[in-house]
Amino acid sequence: MSISIKNSIAILNATWIGINPDTTVDTISIDSRSLQNSEHTLFFALTGPNNDAHHYINDLIANGVQNFVVTFIPEECKDRANFLIVENTLVALQQFASYYRSLFHFPIIGLTGSNGKTIVKEWLNFLLSPDYNVIRSPKSYNSQVGVPLSVIAINEKHNLGIFEAGISTVNEMDKLEKIIKPTIGILTNIGSSHDEGFTNLEEKIQQKMLLFQNAAVLIYQKNSEVEKYISAKTNPFSWSYKEENADVFVFKKETENQQTTLFYTYKNNNYQLKIPFIDKASVENAVSSLMVLLYFGYESSVIQSRMEMLFPVEMRLEVKNGINNCSIIDDSYSSDFQSLKIALDVLESQNKFKKKTVILSDIFQSGFPNEQLYAKVAQLIISNKINRVIGIGETISEFKDQFLNCITFKTTADFIANFDKLDFSNESILIKGARSFQFEEIVTLLEEKTHETVLEINLNAISYNLNFFKSKLKPKVKIMVMVKAFGYGNGGLEIAKLLEHHKVDYLGVAFADEGISLKNGGIKLPIMVLNPENTSFSAIIQHQLEPEIYSLKGLHAFLKIAKQKNLQHFPIHIKVDTGMHRLGFEENTVDELIATLKGNSTVKVQSILSHMATSDDAKHYDFALSQIQLFDRLSSKIRNELDVKPIRHILNTSGISNFPEAQFDMVRLGIGLYGVSNDENEQKELETVGTLKSIISQIRIIPAGDSVGYGRRFMAEKQTKVATIPIGYADGISRAWGNGIGFVSIKEQQAPILGSVCMDMLMVDVTQIECAEGDDVIIFGESPTVSYIAQKLHTIPYEILTSISQRVKRVFYR
């Protein structure tokens, strides 16, 4: 891409105010944190319900970005860059993508549906790439923002596009159709996902069909409801299991070795095809892929040879603990230029170490000649400050000299053979490879070995929840996020890295060792220690942590050490007790506090805080107001008499929502970040962050009269199928959750817990569930939720989350 700012003005119908109208742009960005932003980036300052990118323009200019699409120019940025002023920056991004799409005239496949879009897209890329130079949506980039970013990645060497479009309500698909402009349409399965955005199923179908209003052909499972909305310009190309008048009639038969044989009739000829799946969804997705190959005119022998090699698609990028104190970014199922850019951004957002390594296979379907491609990849590596590149593949080996500190291997087997000669320790490692290179073997080598119970942490959900609460704040109100108790059980350092990436103002921990661990992990954000012991003050000073001071005894102890170390203006946080009666200076000690601090230059009052006891309980609304009023009075007194202007903060998560008038200078976000709210309506707005998963270790059938577990607390009244799950109270599962009170989810069905929860195992009733050993088990997540478990156990979600043992591996993913 090379488009001048002058041309962009006309494309966007924008007003230009700037310093150089002759500048050209070659990349588009919406992420202010990306290290790939440069002087030739056109940055769209998107504004959403939870965030406004205009706040980051000043920092972007300081980092060299010169071109912006904005709705207004921030005061401090005037006369410092090129600005294209528009009414709506998201609409402008979509207009830009629509214009850019119009420059290309090769076939474009557009996919939509409730389920299967990404899988069909990835399979079609695999099936068609031997014959086409394919550009496709990276990951699941199918939204109002993701689609334009996907389309803008097209270049002159591509000759086939595959883009997915996802909508959650009305009046969205028409915008995406103008950007994708598909010539070939595929409607995948229509299910219940995102039903809440539509009045009924018919409206949902009608809205999704708008993607195909100008397509030459539509591939779909024959359905009269769908056919009502097929445009007169569009040729239907249908398949069916039931209706023999479909263009392709399919009969499926499950065979041995987890395979399905498809018998299909097309143009009065009969064929058969084996695929390596038996589940309903995968078979449907395979049929959609088959239909494309038939439409493109492939021979049945080619169809068979390619489709028998279809594979499960990994839908997400995972962050895992590795050997020798390494962190692994596992993106081992695809290798293309666009997804490499995304993966490098994730590596930076999750990087814990000074050293960064990328293990990279040959890159396919970039659309660029190899010389140009690997020059671009090398520039990405430089921009992202990668210390070492390990290349695997014939082609990347030829371009080894493009990279600094690069070693290469011709095959994955060569790498594995030399693994013991390579040093991997105290570094972040991005593993990025095309499926044919089988980089999952490399992940297995580098991954820390733990048992099969894992707590999966959705980093996208954390980002969403953070922005949800930030959207409730008044301008210039700061935000402290609590990462104490190992990030409420979710993992402290990884979440702290993400929060630092999102530029929160402060982190809060309970004890000094938690803060020291974060600092040793590379966190540079200021960290407040809420419950510092006097014996930890020296370590707090050494690691540049900031202590909460809540008593005269503690203040005198800290001042003594501060004086011995000749400190000047070391930040401390003064806590006042306004009614919680846990920690803090009471009103009758505030005068002595002021007298002690007056004229003392060894410390600086960085903030004054208090803690609300009943911010989540409407019954105690008046008490909460009295706390706020007392805090205002005491903190104002301290400020005035010391002549200082510290940050003031009293609100916790529920306080942010229930007492917006008391935001003062900062708020403290805690469990809300992790997707838990005391308010039912607010809970619906938050995304689930943690999913505790395990597997079925063993299944047995016991007769009536037999018992299960210690103490024979479950006695079978009838023949019962029992599954054993390798998780117990040593992992944090309360024993009170057993004996039929609790359940786990298997195949989206509830399996009641039988008898007592053991130290390392629990047993469940799966009599009514079709399942097998090795199947996934959800301990908590979407069902049961942490809040539901807490309610049944007469406790609070905090206790459930923080009880999960650190022997349970945390897996972070996007």
Side-chain angles (χ1 to χ4, degrees):
M1 174 194 296
S2 180
I3 295 178
S4 71
I5 286 294
K6 281 182 180 176
N7 286 344
S8 299
I9 296 169
I11 294 167
L12 303 179
N13 192 26
T15 300
W16 178 78
I17 297 177
I19 56 177
N20 184 5
D22 297 319
T23 298
T24 59
V25 296
D26 57 19
T27 57
I28 301 299
S29 177
I30 62 166
D31 186 353
S32 64
R33 301 151 301 189
S34 176
L35 295 179
Q36 297 156 31
N37 293 327
S38 71
E39 61 181 318
H40 295 296
T41 295
L42 180 59
F43 183 86
F44 284 76
L46 299 187
T47 301
N50 300 333
N51 206 5
D52 185 351
H54 290 80
H55 297 321
Y56 311 124
I57 291 175
N58 192 39
D59 290 342
L60 283 162
I61 293 173
N63 290 330
V65 180
Q66 285 288 289
N67 309 292
F68 299 89
V69 179
V70 298
T71 56
F72 67 92
I73 304 175
E75 192 65 34
E76 68 274 17
C77 301
K78 290 182 177 177
D79 302 320
R80 295 175 57 205
N82 294 316
F83 293 98
L84 301 175
I85 304 172
V86 298
E87 288 187 12
N88 184 304
T89 50
L90 174 58
V91 171
L93 176 65
Q94 294 170 341
Q95 287 173 338
F96 189 95
S98 181
Y99 162 79
Y100 190 74
R101 163 68 178 90
S102 70
L103 302 178
F104 300 93
H105 303 289
F106 52 77
I108 297 285
I109 298 173
L111 303 99
T112 194
S114 301
N115 306 291
K117 298 184 292 294
T118 301
I119 292 170
V120 173
K121 177 198 69 184
E122 292 298 326
W123 282 354
L124 288 177
N125 174 66
F126 168 77
L127 294 166
L128 297 171
S129 59
D131 310 303
Y132 293 91
N133 201 338
V134 180
I135 174 70
R136 71 191 192 280
S137 311
K139 305 294 181 185
S140 296
Y141 270 41
N142 59 30
S143 66
Q144 299 292 305
V145 174
V147 168
L149 292 177
S150 300
V151 167
I152 289 167
I154 298 173
N155 69 46
E156 292 76 8
K157 299 297 182 181
H158 292 124
N159 56 14
L160 178 67
I162 310 175
F163 299 109
E164 54 177 298
I167 59 172
S168 56
T169 189
V170 298
N171 301 322
E172 290 185 342
M173 189 61 85
D174 207 39
K175 300 169 187 174
L176 300 186
E177 191 279 335
K178 290 179 173 64
I179 300 168
I180 298 174
K181 298 184 178 72
T183 56
I184 301 165
I186 302 175
L187 182 67
T188 63
N189 176 274
I190 296 289
S192 59
S193 299
H194 304 295
D195 271 359
E196 64 275 8
F198 303 96
T199 306
N200 50 41
L201 179 62
E202 183 173 2
E203 182 180 65
K204 185 176 185 178
I205 293 172
Q206 183 263 333
Q207 289 291 311
K208 288 184 178 293
M209 290 292 289
L210 291 175
L211 179 63
F212 312 122
Q213 56 191 293
N214 295 301
V217 63
L218 172 64
I219 292 167
Y220 67 105
Q221 185 172 8
K222 193 167 181 60
N223 181 326
S224 59
E225 289 300 312
V226 168
E227 288 165 348
K228 289 195 296 188
Y229 297 104
I230 296 178
S231 164
K233 308 174 189 175
T234 303
N235 291 318
F237 187 37
S238 64
W239 67 272
S240 180
Y241 294 132
K242 299 176 181 178
E243 299 187 41
E244 295 188 20
N245 63 338
D247 295 295
V248 178
F249 180 65
V250 182
F251 172 75
K252 59 180 178 177
K253 181 180 179 182
E254 189 176 317
T255 57
E256 296 179 356
N257 303 320
Q258 297 290 296
Q259 289 189 330
T260 298
T261 299
L262 299 177
F263 301 90
Y264 63 97
T265 303
Y266 174 53
K267 292 185 176 179
N268 298 318
N269 292 312
N270 297 320
Y271 306 91
Q272 71 178 59
L273 165 69
K274 287 185 179 180
I275 56 174
F277 304 99
I278 59 172
D279 64 286
K280 177 183 175 184
S282 295
V283 174
E284 281 194 15
N285 292 332
V287 174
S288 292
S289 303
L290 165 66
M291 294 290 288
V292 175
L293 297 183
L294 293 174
Y295 178 74
F296 276 56
Y298 280 89
E299 296 289 338
S300 59
S301 59
V302 176
I303 293 173
Q304 176 63 69
S305 65
R306 293 187 186 179
M307 290 196 65
E308 68 185 5
M309 296 173 65
L310 290 179
F311 45 82
V313 174
E314 180 55 65
M315 302 284 283
R316 64 195 191 190
L317 182 153
E318 293 186 339
V319 184
K320 303 175 178 178
N321 291 329
I323 60 173
N324 304 327
N325 194 37
C326 289
S327 176
I328 297 172
I329 315 292
D330 177 7
D331 196 11
S332 57
Y333 85 98
S334 70
S335 181
D336 60 86
F337 188 66
Q338 280 304 108
S339 65
L340 174 61
K341 294 169 72 174
I342 295 167
L344 286 168
D345 279 339
V346 175
L347 172 62
E348 182 57 29
S349 72
Q350 282 297 301
N351 183 39
K352 309 176 191 176
F353 305 99
K354 291 182 180 178
K355 185 178 177 183
K356 295 185 284 188
T357 292
V358 172
I359 301 175
L360 183 64
S361 78
D362 288 347
I363 295 175
F364 301 131
Q365 302 161 285
S366 70
F368 302 111
N370 282 336
E371 293 81 2
Q372 186 180 356
L373 167 64
Y374 286 98
K376 285 178 172 287
V377 172
Q379 187 55 53
L380 278 182
I381 296 296
I382 292 169
S383 298
N384 283 270
K385 302 174 183 175
I386 304 302
N387 304 93
R388 174 174 60 161
V389 175
I390 298 175
I392 300 177
E394 298 275 353
T395 307
I396 197 170
S397 295
E398 292 177 19
F399 294 92
K400 174 182 177 180
D401 293 342
Q402 294 270 11
F403 305 94
L404 296 174
N405 193 21
C406 176
I407 58 174
T408 58
F409 301 91
K410 294 294 178 67
T411 67
T412 302
D414 289 342
F415 170 87
I416 292 172
N418 288 276
F419 180 76
D420 291 339
K421 301 174 186 175
L422 300 169
D423 175 39
F424 294 100
S425 61
N426 301 302
E427 60 189 300
S428 295
I429 306 167
L430 170 61
I431 301 174
K432 181 75 176 149
R435 177 166 292 277
S436 59
F437 284 86
Q438 297 181 312
F439 271 17
E440 61 270 16
E441 296 180 21
I442 297 177
V443 174
T444 300
L445 281 175
L446 287 169
E447 189 176 4
E448 184 180 60
K449 306 304 182 283
T450 54
H451 70 109
E452 292 167 306
T453 296
V454 298
L455 180 59
E456 294 184 342
I457 312 299
N458 184 340
L459 295 174
N460 296 76
I462 288 180
S463 299
Y464 175 88
N465 294 339
L466 172 66
N467 287 327
F468 172 79
F469 284 102
K470 283 173 71 175
S471 71
K472 295 174 175 284
L473 303 183
K474 299 171 186 175
K476 299 185 179 180
V477 172
K478 299 178 185 297
I479 188 164
M480 174 187 287
V481 180
M482 311 309 296
V483 290
K484 61 183 181 178
F486 194 51
Y488 289 69
N490 292 287
L493 181 56
E494 291 82 1
I495 291 173
K497 288 297 299 184
L498 181 63
L499 296 172
E500 189 166 60
H501 193 60
H502 279 294
K503 301 180 180 180
V504 302
D505 300 285
Y506 258 91
L507 298 178
V509 298
F511 298 104
D513 58 350
E514 294 176 318
I516 292 169
S517 177
L518 295 180
K519 287 292 185 181
N520 288 340
I523 297 298
K524 294 180 174 58
L525 282 174
I527 300 174
M528 176 177 157
V529 182
L530 281 82
N531 305 328
E533 297 152 324
N534 292 2
T535 54
S536 69
F537 284 155
S538 292
I540 284 174
I541 293 168
Q542 177 187 345
H543 292 277
Q544 293 294 297
L545 303 172
E546 302 179 14
E548 174 189 285
I549 303 296
Y550 50 80
S551 69
L552 288 167
K553 179 182 176 182
L555 177 59
H556 288 303
F558 190 82
L559 289 175
K560 181 180 179 180
I561 294 174
K563 187 175 181 180
Q564 290 172 352
K565 294 182 178 293
N566 296 314
L567 299 181
Q568 285 291 306
H569 307 296
F570 193 91
I572 64 173
H573 302 261
I574 300 298
K575 184 166 191 177
V576 295
D577 181 7
T578 56
M580 180 79 167
H581 296 331
R582 186 170 66 180
L583 293 175
F585 289 92
E586 295 180 295
E587 186 169 11
N588 60 7
T589 62
V590 167
D591 287 338
E592 191 173 351
L593 164 69
I594 293 169
T596 304
L597 289 174
K598 190 168 285 188
N600 193 314
S601 62
T602 58
V603 295
K604 170 192 175 184
V605 179
Q606 183 72 9
S607 84
I608 305 171
L609 67 146
S610 189
H611 196 87
M612 298 182 72
T614 60
S615 61
D616 59 344
D617 193 340
K619 292 184 296 184
H620 298 288
Y621 182 78
D622 290 340
F623 178 78
L625 285 181
S626 72
Q627 278 197 273
I628 293 167
Q629 291 161 3
L630 179 57
F631 173 70
D632 191 17
R633 182 159 54 83
L634 295 180
S635 60
S636 296
K637 181 177 182 178
I638 296 169
R639 291 175 68 178
N640 294 336
E641 296 202 22
L642 292 178
D643 192 22
V644 293
K645 291 187 177 179
I647 300 166
R648 296 193 293 169
H649 49 112
I650 189 173
L651 296 185
N652 55 6
T653 295
S654 51
I656 293 171
S657 300
N658 296 333
F659 296 93
E661 72 285 354
Q663 291 177 4
F664 291 98
D665 306 301
M666 186 162 72
V667 298
R668 301 188 301 272
L669 177 60
I671 200 165
L673 180 77
Y674 307 99
V676 177
S677 173
N678 291 305
D679 181 88
E680 286 186 14
N681 292 324
E682 186 171 84
Q683 183 65 62
K684 295 174 184 176
E685 299 291 330
L686 299 178
E687 294 192 354
T688 299
V689 168
T691 300
L692 183 58
K693 296 177 69 173
S694 192
I695 64 164
I696 297 175
S697 293
Q698 190 175 29
I699 294 176
R700 60 172 46 79
I701 296 176
I702 64 171
D706 272 20
S707 62
V708 173
Y710 286 119
R712 307 193 73 194
R713 290 186 176 86
F714 172 79
M715 302 292 294
E717 296 179 358
K718 59 183 179 181
Q719 180 174 289
T720 305
K721 185 165 66 169
V722 179
T724 300
I725 318 299
I727 185 171
Y729 58 76
D731 301 293
I733 306 303
S734 172
R735 291 186 77 247
W737 188 232
N739 296 308
I741 294 173
F743 68 90
V744 301
S745 288
I746 300 173
K747 302 286 187 180
E748 299 184 353
Q749 299 176 67
Q750 294 184 11
I753 298 174
L754 302 177
S756 297
V757 173
C758 306
M759 180 181 287
D760 307 300
M761 286 170 278
L762 56 82
M763 288 70 75
V764 298
D765 184 350
V766 292
T767 306
Q768 302 301 320
I769 301 174
E770 287 292 329
C771 57
E773 293 173 359
D775 282 350
D776 285 343
V777 178
I778 305 299
I779 311 301
F780 66 63
E782 296 287 349
S783 176
T785 65
V786 169
S787 297
Y788 176 85
I789 297 173
Q791 178 188 2
K792 289 294 182 182
L793 296 182
H794 307 290
T795 184
I796 55 176
Y798 297 77
E799 183 176 350
I800 306 302
L801 286 174
T802 58
S803 294
I804 302 306
S805 166
Q806 291 196 36
R807 82 173 186 177
V808 174
K809 180 173 73 170
R810 272 67 175 173
V811 174
F812 300 85
Y813 70 92
R814 291 175 183 266

